[in-house]
Amino acid sequence: MLERCYGSTDVDLSIIGLGGIVVAQMPQDEADAIVRSAYDRGVNYFDVAPTYADAEDRLGPALRGIRDKVFLACKTEKRTYQESRAALETSLRKLETDHFDLYQLHGLQNLEDARACFAPDGAMKTLIEAREKGLVRFLGFSAHSVDAALYCLEQFSFDSVLFPLHYTSYYQGHFGPQVVKTAKERGAALLALKAGAWRPWPEGADRSVRPKCWYEPYSSPSELEQAFRWTLSLPVTAAIPPGDPEIFGMVLEIAERFRPMTAEEMDAMQRKAHEVQPLFRAE
């Protein structure tokens, strides 16, 4: 699988990462098989969070024997120093590791969220201390808000930004161009979420078909491939597919034959973006 440089570091990541929610709420032997298959196919980027049900409990054992060969990212949804420090210790224990390659503020929903992390007793104190102690190598954040992302990039020299980069939100909702531009200016690597999103779940839809997805993902192989090719044609290091095991397998196949979009194909995606309601709009 193609690899790309993680920002200005000497680390190369597979263009597709495995989101820990893929292996949540399944027997350990099934989780082991998914992780090992992904690794054997070239995936070296694994991302997880305490909020993904029991994903940490499944992923830790699944990485036994290959932990030192992969890039393991974790997150904290806690906003205070004390809570985030305790969360970091718990995550390290569950994932059976003495350090994370990347530790991130998780799911910043708005400017208030971001500011709370940078308060004197905020979670950023945990991240900085953890890096100083060798418990983490790199620092980042994930956000679902343009304002929150731009605020964080102004406040600190983060190594990466994990952000929704999906063509409908990007073009129709103007959600993402500002973050891509600013991250590039600041030297932060871009990691993409929601590339496989189609639309918000329609009212009354049977969500049990994709229970780990809070939005309706593409299930058509051709549309899924278009969406991921678009995202991976931006200056991103890697993209994390939806948390559905079947879709994750489809995206691995897409990644193995990936080729960047031409300018004409990108223009076509911009026109197509106006056919569907975007997941996100800029504040």
Side-chain angles (χ1 to χ4, degrees):
M1 185 178 296
L2 181 66
E3 294 183 350
R4 291 176 175 172
C5 186
Y6 175 65
S8 57
T9 74
D10 60 355
V11 175
D12 291 327
L13 300 185
S14 54
I15 59 171
I16 295 298
L18 185 147
I21 197 168
V22 169
V23 297
Q25 300 174 313
M26 65 170 53
Q28 187 63 52
D29 60 342
E30 292 182 20
D32 293 348
I34 289 174
V35 167
R36 187 50 62 103
S37 174
Y39 174 76
D40 288 344
R41 294 174 69 172
V43 174
N44 69 352
Y45 168 35
F46 294 81
D47 178 276
V48 70
T51 55
Y52 300 161
D54 61 353
E56 289 182 316
D57 301 286
R58 301 283 77 77
L59 188 59
L63 287 172
R64 288 173 187 165
I66 58 172
R67 166 62 190 99
D68 62 343
K69 300 174 183 177
V70 303
F71 185 96
L72 180 58
C74 194
K75 314 183 187 83
T76 179
E77 81 283 6
K78 304 301 184 183
R79 304 303 183 224
T80 68
Y81 170 65
Q82 294 293 344
E83 289 180 314
S84 58
R85 192 171 98 174
L88 170 61
E89 293 170 356
T90 299
S91 291
L92 286 167
R93 175 177 53 80
K94 288 187 173 186
L95 286 152
E96 303 181 6
T97 185
D98 62 357
H99 77 283
F100 290 124
D101 296 287
L102 170 62
Y103 200 60
Q104 303 155 106
L105 303 172
H106 184 199
L108 302 174
Q109 301 296 324
N110 49 50
L111 199 51
E112 182 180 355
D113 256 2
R115 285 175 172 156
C117 293
F118 281 91
D121 64 342
M124 273 305 300
K125 184 178 177 182
T126 292
L127 270 67
I128 294 169
E129 281 188 0
R131 185 169 65 177
E132 290 172 349
K133 294 177 180 178
L135 298 176
V136 304
R137 295 176 64 194
F138 303 112
L139 302 180
F141 66 88
S142 70
H144 296 89
S145 156
V146 169
D147 285 348
L150 296 180
Y151 176 84
C152 287
L153 287 167
E154 290 170 0
Q155 299 300 311
F156 187 81
S157 182
F158 283 100
D159 297 295
S160 57
V161 181
L162 183 60
F163 196 79
L165 291 172
H166 176 248
Y167 71 97
T168 58
S169 297
Y170 192 93
Y171 290 129
Q172 190 183 159
H174 195 56
F175 186 91
Q178 321 89 321
V179 177
V180 171
K181 177 177 181 291
T182 305
K184 186 175 180 180
E185 290 171 351
R186 299 299 173 93
L190 277 165
L191 304 170
L193 291 169
K194 309 299 184 291
W198 178 16
R199 61 185 179 181
W201 281 108
E203 187 174 352
D206 179 11
R207 298 180 61 168
S208 67
V209 297
R210 305 289 184 194
K212 297 180 183 180
C213 299
W214 67 265
Y215 53 86
E216 186 171 8
Y218 283 117
S219 54
S220 159
S222 61
E223 290 186 310
L224 191 64
E225 182 157 12
Q226 277 188 326
F228 270 90
R229 284 188 62 217
W230 181 87
T231 296
L232 290 170
S233 296
L234 297 179
V236 306
T237 297
I240 298 178
D244 181 83
E246 180 184 13
I247 292 179
F248 177 70
M250 294 167 63
V251 173
L252 287 185
E253 294 181 4
I254 290 167
E256 288 167 348
R257 59 176 180 264
F258 169 74
R259 67 185 191 284
M261 282 191 160
T262 64
E264 291 76 15
E265 288 175 309
M266 295 291 277
D267 288 344
M269 293 298 284
Q270 184 168 4
R271 294 190 294 271
K272 181 180 173 68
H274 295 275
E275 299 173 3
V276 182
Q277 179 183 350
L279 282 178
F280 302 100
R281 292 184 183 276
E283 296 86 342

